[in-house]
């Protein structure tokens, strides 16, 4: 077998994880032809076909699957070794990769990152917006952000930001024409702007008041999959949107949207920044964790319990 380059193995693992050459090329920031040539070179070096290609997808062959099963662990060990020697630097450097839902990226992570990068100019930061639950170790992330109930048991979790709150909002013209709901049951017959999650399920709307909890399966003709789209639809008078308060705050303040059922809106826990406890974090990740904790103290957030899940 001819010598095999480490970056070619990384590209192979990325193609399988991303589900194709184009997606892997986008993540690497190169042309699809470069990724395709890399895989061809790797297959010539090992003397075996590693991927079955169709016009729509790629899938590992038996040889590719065997290689991949060992690669995930090996690449993780290599990243660990690099993280350990990175500790010897005077200042943290390298790339910090975090997977998080779009609201957490926009309203919590980005504001933190701007100040963090100013303090640590040698660290590169990459946020990947993703609402689906992913294996952050297998996919090469330093950390992820999710709600507490969605964390794996072997993760260390740190509260990130303030508690959250959903808001039900609509344009003044819509409410003038259709009426303003006074309690969750009044939503029946209203045009609710629904959201479909990546897994295919439709979001339910949760309400709470005086110990009473009500869950509504919203009805409406319009179904979207992002808060930005829902907000634009509400601004256009298409119905009631169910979004994080952060998204709607400006429009409410300007009078372009009106919040309804505010006394029924429950407080939710904050986001959690989570990372694996079975391996050392990179110097960049450790610096970011310290920065997050320091920022939380300065903002008056509840103290970090250092909870392990």
């Amino acid at each position: 077998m001819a010598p095999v380059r480490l970056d070619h193995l990384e590209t192979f693992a990325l193609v399988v994880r991303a589900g194709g050459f184009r997606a892997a090329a986008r993540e690497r920031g190169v042309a699809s032809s470069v990724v395709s040539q890399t895989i061809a070179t790797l297959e010539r070096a090992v003397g075996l076909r590693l991927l079955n290609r169709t016009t729509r997808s790629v899938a590992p062959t038996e040889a590719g699957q065997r290689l991949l099963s060992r690669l995930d662990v090996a690449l993780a060990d290599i990243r660990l070794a690099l993280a350990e020697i990175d500790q010897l630097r005077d200042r943290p450097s390298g790339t910090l990769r975090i997977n998080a839902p779009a609201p957490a990226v926009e309203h919590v992570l980005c504001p933190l990152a701007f100040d963090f990068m100013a303090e640590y100019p040698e660290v590169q930061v990459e946020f990947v917006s993703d609402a689906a639950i992913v294996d952050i170790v297998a996919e090469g992330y330093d950390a992820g952000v999710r709600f507490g109930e969605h964390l794996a048991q072997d993760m260390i979790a740190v509260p990130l930001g303030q508690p959250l709150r959903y808001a039900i909002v609509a344009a003044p013209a819509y409410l003038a024409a259709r009426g303003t709901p006074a309690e969750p049951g009044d939503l029946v017959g209203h045009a609710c702007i629904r959201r479909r999650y990546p897994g295919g399920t439709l979001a339910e709307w949760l309400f709470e008041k005086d110990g009473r909890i009500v869950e509504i399966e919203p009805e409406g003709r319009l179904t979207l999959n992002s808060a930005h789209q829902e907000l634009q639809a509400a601004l256009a008078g298409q119905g009631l949107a169910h979004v994080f308060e952060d998204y709607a705050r400006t429009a409410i303040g300007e009078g372009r949207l009106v919040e309804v059922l505010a006394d029924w809106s429950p407080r939710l826990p904050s986001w959690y920044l989570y990372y694996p406890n079975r391996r050392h974090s990179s110097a960049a990740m450790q610096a970011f964790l310290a920065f997050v904790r320091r920022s939380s103290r300065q903002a008056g957030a509840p103290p970090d319990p250092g909870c392990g899940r």
Side-chain angles (χ1 to χ4, degrees):
M1 185 173 67
V4 174
R5 290 172 47 173
L6 176 61
D7 61 324
H8 289 184
L9 293 172
E10 290 179 316
T11 299
F12 164 69
L14 177 59
V15 167
V16 176
R17 170 166 59 82
F21 291 94
R22 288 185 180 178
R26 284 195 299 269
E27 190 164 333
R28 276 288 171 90
V30 299
S32 298
S33 59
V34 173
V35 174
S36 179
Q37 183 59 44
T38 297
I39 298 301
T41 301
L42 175 61
E43 289 178 329
R44 285 196 299 270
V46 300
L48 292 167
R49 177 175 288 276
L50 300 175
L51 294 172
N52 287 321
R53 304 156 174 82
T54 69
T55 56
R56 294 186 177 182
S57 64
V58 298
T61 62
E62 180 182 355
Q65 191 59 56
R66 290 191 182 187
L67 176 61
L68 188 66
S69 65
R70 298 294 186 95
L71 268 184
D72 285 340
V73 176
L75 291 174
D77 285 343
I78 291 170
R79 286 192 290 268
L80 171 59
L82 293 174
E84 288 177 345
I85 64 170
D86 192 48
Q87 307 287 347
L88 301 177
R89 296 178 184 271
D90 293 333
R91 289 181 60 80
S93 63
T95 299
L96 177 67
R97 298 185 74 237
I98 298 179
N99 181 288
V105 173
E106 295 172 19
H107 300 295
V108 181
L109 286 175
C110 275
L112 281 171
F114 299 153
D115 292 336
F116 174 75
M117 288 190 295
E119 187 171 330
Y120 295 95
E122 296 178 26
V123 176
Q124 301 178 50
V125 177
E126 179 181 353
F127 296 141
V128 176
S129 296
D130 190 351
I133 304 300
V134 300
D135 185 335
I136 60 171
V137 175
E139 299 198 15
Y141 293 103
D142 294 285
V145 175
R146 292 294 183 274
F147 286 124
E149 64 268 23
H150 293 151
L151 303 182
Q153 294 299 312
D154 59 347
M155 295 290 166
I156 298 174
V158 178
L160 187 66
Q162 300 295 323
L164 303 168
R165 179 177 172 273
Y166 275 108
I168 307 296
V169 295
Y174 172 85
L175 296 175
R178 301 289 296 272
T180 300
E183 60 179 38
D186 295 340
L187 293 173
V188 176
H190 268 279
C192 297
I193 301 165
R194 306 189 303 172
R195 174 180 300 184
R196 190 177 298 280
Y197 291 127
T201 60
L202 288 168
E204 294 184 336
W205 294 7
L206 176 67
F207 301 94
E208 182 178 358
K209 183 178 180 180
D210 300 331
R212 181 185 172 199
I213 297 176
V214 178
E215 286 191 30
I216 297 290
E217 294 184 3
E219 297 181 358
R221 296 169 57 202
L222 182 61
T223 302
L224 303 170
N225 67 356
S226 84
H228 283 298
Q229 296 168 358
E230 294 165 46
L231 197 65
Q232 291 305 309
L235 287 165
Q238 296 301 304
L240 294 153
H242 178 258
V243 297
F244 280 124
E245 183 183 21
D246 287 335
Y247 279 107
R249 184 176 288 113
T250 298
I252 293 173
E254 294 172 349
R256 294 184 295 141
L257 289 175
V258 176
E259 182 178 2
V260 302
L261 302 174
D263 55 337
W264 280 90
S265 180
R267 287 278 174 179
L268 303 173
S270 65
W271 297 108
Y272 278 84
L273 179 75
Y274 67 98
Y275 57 99
N277 64 7
R278 60 176 178 271
R279 64 186 179 98
H280 296 294
S281 300
S282 68
M285 180 60 188
Q286 290 190 18
F288 187 69
L289 285 170
F291 184 85
V292 166
R293 292 187 174 106
R294 187 167 70 248
S295 298
S296 296
R297 288 195 298 270
Q298 292 171 351
D304 170 16
C307 58
R309 297 290 300 181

